[in-house]
Amino acid sequence: MKRILVATDRSDTSTRAVEWAAEMADRYSAELVVVRVVAPEHVAGGDAGTASAAAELSELAERHAGARGRARLEFDSQPAEAIVAVAHEERADIVVVGNVTMRGRTQFLLGSVPNRVSHAAPCTVVIVNSRATDGGPATPRREEEAPRVAASEGEVLGRAARIAAVAAKYQLRGVLERNSDPETSEAAQARRLRNALEELGPTFAKLGQILSTQPDLLPPAFIRELSALQDNVTPLREPDVVAAMERELGVPWEDVFESLEPEPMAAGTIAQVHRAILFGGGRVVVKVQRPGAEREILQDLGLLEEFARKAAGRRAFTEVIDVPAMVAHLSSSLRRELDFRHEAGNLERMHSVLKGFDHVQVPHVYNELSTARLLVMEEVQGIPVQLAPEGEARLAAGRQLIEAYYEQVLNEGFFHADPHPGNMMWWNDKVYLLDLGMVGEVDGELRRALLLLLLAFWQEDTEFVADLMASLSLEPMPSLGAPEFRSELADLVERYRRLPLNELRLGPLLQQLTEISLRHGVRLPAALALIGKAFGQMQQAAAELDPSLDPFSVAGTFYLRQLGNRLRASTRPRQLFYEGQKLGVRVDRLFESLERVTGARPGAGLRVEIPDGEELTGAIGTAGKRIALGLTAATAMVSTAITATAPRAAKWTTPTFGAAAAVFTGALLADMVRRR
């Protein structure tokens, strides 16, 4: 062993590494080379400052190794690479570095020095535990292994008192109950609520933001006011971000990332977001949960849930705002946001939904690096969607964005619930949907009704629009048939018919339908309001890409394509055989039920006592005859299709079944015409 190289930044902790290296050099009578790397931007005092730093370093080397000591002062923005380069030049046998971050550079970059040197040096590398005598932190653990400290009773009571004081200050009781002062406007009440949430801190600001996306829970004035809420929080310090990442990764962050940008892209109540580069060059975005965020939010949610339980039995708290429903929704939304695996799953599912669209996409998720409190995903290195360059790709993306939303809402029942232009980026001729922390789901019945609703507006069929609204109502309402209701719907259809294409908006349309229904006492599914808001945000971005798009025309094209896909699927022999067998089972059950009703088969039957009447008897006979003819004709049609596509069916079967289908269908039509 002839030459030992030790790195220092002249801090107390790095001096311990120099002392360890000097002892090793003395033991082997080796030369000691003390190197210090200074970033050019951190050089102070010009040539005089450089000369002073070089003299200090030479004095340090001579003090620890005498005549065998030598100093090298290097200027480089990448300290690890500079140390490795000096090791090559000096042909060092050992490189010694400390494990505590050097000073003079941002901690994110310098935190990686020991690890990078150990990976790239041409010789043995010794990493001295220079923080052991410094009272530094122990090896990081995953957060789930660390004990969770429950909030003390005093903390909970103190927080409850603070909430009660702010609620009294802004008179929130009057906001949540029916307003007894007719001179106080809804807008003024909304402002009071917003001011109170801002004063209560980031958790309540986040609650207000979630509420602003739920027009089914709050009046319009509250939605507008809460949309402007900002969860202003102080960004985490760099060491806190690194510690949080390493708790989740279980290894030093330098083992995973080549670099991490010190400045956050965004800092919110729950998480902070940074750009990073993986080893291998992949550019990613890292979302790190704030330490303590879960504890603070769950504490506040517990207090809100207790308040909701007490409010549930008081009618005054449900007349203006349904407080229990509101708190239940907020609680479930925030609990999902605290677990980043939900967002990762949403991104994976949305990627599958969008696989048929070549101009709409979502970022890739690195599941192997992501946990409940750390999310690593592909960085979309694009520009705001409204700045997309003119051309065919831009126009195609605008149309596909609307079609993709139809696919999400009307076909898959799973959609991005907050698709404002700020959550979209243009990159590689594609629109990327970002931030899938908030999604919506739609059941099959509502999906079918929504598609027909859009088509009815496209065809300007007011009567059918009214029928569809009746079918969507959660409760049967006699006012649905009122002339006033249909008149308002007719006015709405007429107003949208006269709008130019670039002013057509699906979101406001659905929201106005909701408002008309509420005025007539019609309770619609809560998902409809969220869909309306999401459609409105989405179409704002689509209109930026192509102002000439007609969303109703796109709905018609989407419907026809879906119909074609279903027809093609239904003509497959296997599908036809399955549908035929299913129809056969249902026909058998129908006839079995009819036999039980008539008493032809043993078992419980249907007994109905009615007055004698030839007219009623004839009507029942006619209905039974038509049902029998219809079922027989349908069975013959399915059999015709099966034999026509079957490879080994006898030649006579297809025309025979076809003729039977025609005969029975003709008989059914003739009976219906004759008895009108």
Side-chain angles (χ1 to χ4, degrees):
M1 188 180 298
K2 297 180 179 180
R3 188 170 291 113
I4 297 175
L5 179 72
V6 60
T8 179
D9 65 352
R10 300 296 286 120
S11 65
D12 292 340
T13 52
S14 67
T15 299
R16 295 188 186 109
V18 175
E19 292 170 349
W20 191 96
E23 183 181 342
M24 178 70 69
D26 183 61
R27 184 179 303 173
Y28 290 96
S29 299
E31 183 181 3
L32 180 68
V33 180
V34 181
V35 61
R36 179 183 180 188
V37 182
V38 179
E41 62 268 26
H42 292 158
V43 176
D47 293 340
T50 300
S52 174
E56 286 183 10
L57 197 64
S58 296
E59 190 273 332
L60 178 69
E62 184 178 349
R63 185 170 70 248
H64 283 89
R68 289 179 287 102
R70 184 158 52 87
R72 285 191 61 165
L73 183 63
E74 301 292 323
F75 300 96
D76 198 308
S77 295
Q78 300 295 331
E81 286 78 355
I83 293 169
V84 171
V86 172
H88 275 285
E89 293 174 13
E90 296 285 352
R91 297 186 178 181
D93 297 299
I94 290 181
V95 174
V96 180
V97 291
N99 68 341
V100 175
T101 298
M102 297 179 183
R103 295 186 305 185
R105 291 273 288 154
T106 58
Q107 295 189 22
F108 274 151
L109 294 176
L110 286 170
S112 65
V113 170
N115 194 279
R116 290 189 181 188
V117 170
S118 69
H119 280 78
C123 57
T124 300
V125 176
V126 175
I127 300 177
V128 177
N129 184 13
S130 56
R131 73 172 123 194
T133 59
D134 163 57
T139 303
R141 297 183 297 176
R142 282 182 173 268
E143 190 166 337
E144 52 262 38
E145 297 173 0
R148 293 188 180 183
V149 181
S152 67
E153 184 177 352
E155 289 177 318
V156 173
L157 291 175
R159 182 59 171 163
R162 171 64 177 158
I163 294 172
V166 173
K169 174 182 176 181
Y170 290 98
Q171 301 176 2
L172 292 190
R173 181 186 180 94
V175 172
L176 299 176
E177 294 182 354
R178 180 173 294 279
N179 181 26
S180 57
D181 182 5
E183 296 182 0
T184 304
S185 68
E186 196 174 74
Q189 291 177 318
R191 280 193 298 274
R192 279 159 41 196
L193 178 59
R194 175 190 169 184
N195 292 335
L197 294 177
E198 286 180 339
E199 187 166 329
L200 285 170
T203 301
F204 281 82
K206 185 67 177 177
L207 293 173
Q209 290 176 350
I210 295 174
L211 275 176
S212 71
T213 66
Q214 299 295 316
D216 57 306
L217 293 177
L218 289 175
F222 285 79
I223 297 298
R224 288 191 296 271
E225 195 70 32
L226 296 182
S227 297
L229 267 172
Q230 299 293 325
D231 50 345
N232 296 316
V233 295
T234 303
L236 291 171
R237 296 183 308 114
E238 295 165 6
D240 294 333
V241 175
V242 169
M245 290 175 61
E246 292 182 340
R247 276 196 298 270
E248 295 303 309
L249 293 169
V251 296
W253 74 270
E254 305 98 316
D255 286 353
V256 178
F257 301 99
E258 184 175 310
S259 66
L260 190 68
E261 285 193 6
E263 291 299 319
M265 296 173 62
T269 303
I270 293 177
Q272 190 158 303
V273 182
H274 291 264
R275 290 188 179 91
I277 299 178
L278 295 170
F279 276 114
R283 298 183 64 90
V284 296
V285 169
V286 181
K287 184 176 181 179
V288 186
Q289 187 168 123
R290 297 176 68 89
E294 182 178 17
R295 175 183 171 183
E296 293 172 10
I297 288 173
L298 292 181
Q299 175 181 305
D300 284 342
L301 285 178
L303 293 171
L304 281 175
E305 287 164 355
E306 180 63 27
F307 169 70
R309 279 192 291 272
K310 294 180 178 179
R314 302 185 61 178
R315 184 179 176 185
F317 283 111
T318 60
E319 290 182 332
V320 175
I321 301 172
D322 190 343
V323 173
M326 179 182 71
V327 171
H329 174 79
L330 292 175
S331 179
S332 62
S333 296
L334 265 181
R335 289 176 194 275
R336 282 196 302 271
E337 283 201 47
L338 285 168
D339 189 342
F340 293 168
R341 290 171 296 190
H342 287 291
E343 184 173 352
N346 293 339
L347 284 164
E348 292 289 318
R349 184 175 175 185
M350 187 61 71
H351 188 272
S352 176
V353 171
L354 298 176
K355 63 184 178 183
F357 299 92
D358 53 2
H359 288 288
V360 185
Q361 193 51 269
V362 292
H364 168 72
V365 178
Y366 291 83
N367 285 310
E368 67 278 10
L369 301 177
S370 300
T371 69
R373 300 173 186 86
L374 181 71
L375 180 62
V376 181
M377 50 193 158
E378 171 189 22
E379 181 191 356
V380 178
Q381 305 161 47
I383 57 177
V385 69
Q386 59 267 30
L387 300 180
E390 298 292 338
E392 291 298 321
R394 177 184 176 120
L395 298 178
R399 185 175 190 87
Q400 283 196 13
L401 186 57
I402 294 181
E403 289 183 341
Y405 240 78
Y406 288 148
E407 177 71 18
Q408 293 171 49
V409 174
L410 304 176
N411 203 29
E412 296 293 331
F414 171 79
F415 64 97
H416 192 317
D418 195 22
H420 59 79
N423 276 341
M424 298 184 193
M425 295 288 284
W426 180 266
W427 188 41
N428 293 336
D429 289 343
K430 296 177 183 177
V431 175
Y432 276 79
L433 304 179
L434 310 178
D435 191 5
L436 265 79
M438 185 178 295
V439 296
E441 299 203 32
V442 193
D443 61 39
E445 183 178 351
L446 183 55
R447 295 202 302 268
R448 288 189 294 272
L450 277 172
L451 178 56
L452 290 174
L453 192 63
L454 293 175
L455 293 174
F457 264 88
W458 185 36
Q459 296 296 319
E460 301 173 19
D461 188 347
T462 303
E463 292 299 317
F464 192 43
V465 170
D467 292 340
L468 287 169
M469 299 303 289
S471 69
L472 286 173
S473 177
L474 298 177
E475 297 175 357
M477 301 297 297
S479 61
L480 283 172
E484 296 83 1
F485 179 76
R486 293 181 179 270
S487 175
E488 284 199 57
L489 290 178
D491 291 342
L492 185 63
V493 171
E494 177 69 13
R495 188 160 64 251
Y496 271 80
R497 185 179 71 83
R498 295 180 179 275
L499 283 177
L501 293 181
N502 62 347
E503 293 183 20
L504 284 173
R505 294 291 183 268
L506 295 179
L509 166 63
L510 292 175
Q511 290 170 356
Q512 288 174 50
L513 281 173
T514 302
E515 291 171 9
I516 291 173
S517 301
L518 289 174
R519 280 199 295 272
H520 291 270
V522 179
R523 287 188 61 231
L524 296 175
L528 191 63
L530 184 59
I531 293 169
K533 184 177 186 297
F535 260 124
Q537 293 176 323
M538 173 276 306
Q539 197 180 342
Q540 181 182 349
E544 292 276 359
L545 296 169
D546 185 0
S548 65
L549 275 174
D550 176 3
F552 297 121
S553 175
V554 177
T557 306
F558 172 82
Y559 177 74
L560 292 175
R561 187 170 66 250
Q562 292 295 108
L563 185 60
N565 292 339
R566 290 175 183 174
L567 287 175
R568 281 192 294 274
S570 66
T571 56
R572 297 172 189 159
R574 182 182 300 176
Q575 185 69 20
L576 280 172
F577 177 76
Y578 169 71
E579 293 296 338
Q581 295 298 313
K582 189 166 69 172
L583 179 61
V585 170
R586 288 176 174 172
V587 169
D588 287 343
R589 288 182 178 176
L590 176 63
F591 277 107
E592 180 180 334
S593 299
L594 289 173
E595 288 176 347
R596 290 188 183 278
V597 169
T598 58
R601 179 186 289 258
L606 176 67
R607 295 187 60 188
V608 181
E609 294 184 5
I610 57 174
D612 294 333
E614 294 182 1
E615 184 177 348
L616 182 58
T617 303
I620 293 174
T622 299
K625 180 180 178 181
R626 290 180 181 177
I627 290 173
L629 286 172
L631 289 172
T632 307
T635 303
M637 289 178 186
V638 173
S639 301
T640 303
I642 292 173
T643 55
T645 55
R648 298 182 180 179
K651 293 182 178 180
W652 61 268
T653 54
T654 300
T656 301
F657 283 122
V663 169
F664 285 111
T665 302
L668 177 60
L669 293 174
D671 184 71
M672 293 174 68
V673 171
R674 185 176 66 252
R675 295 180 181 273
R676 267 190 174 181

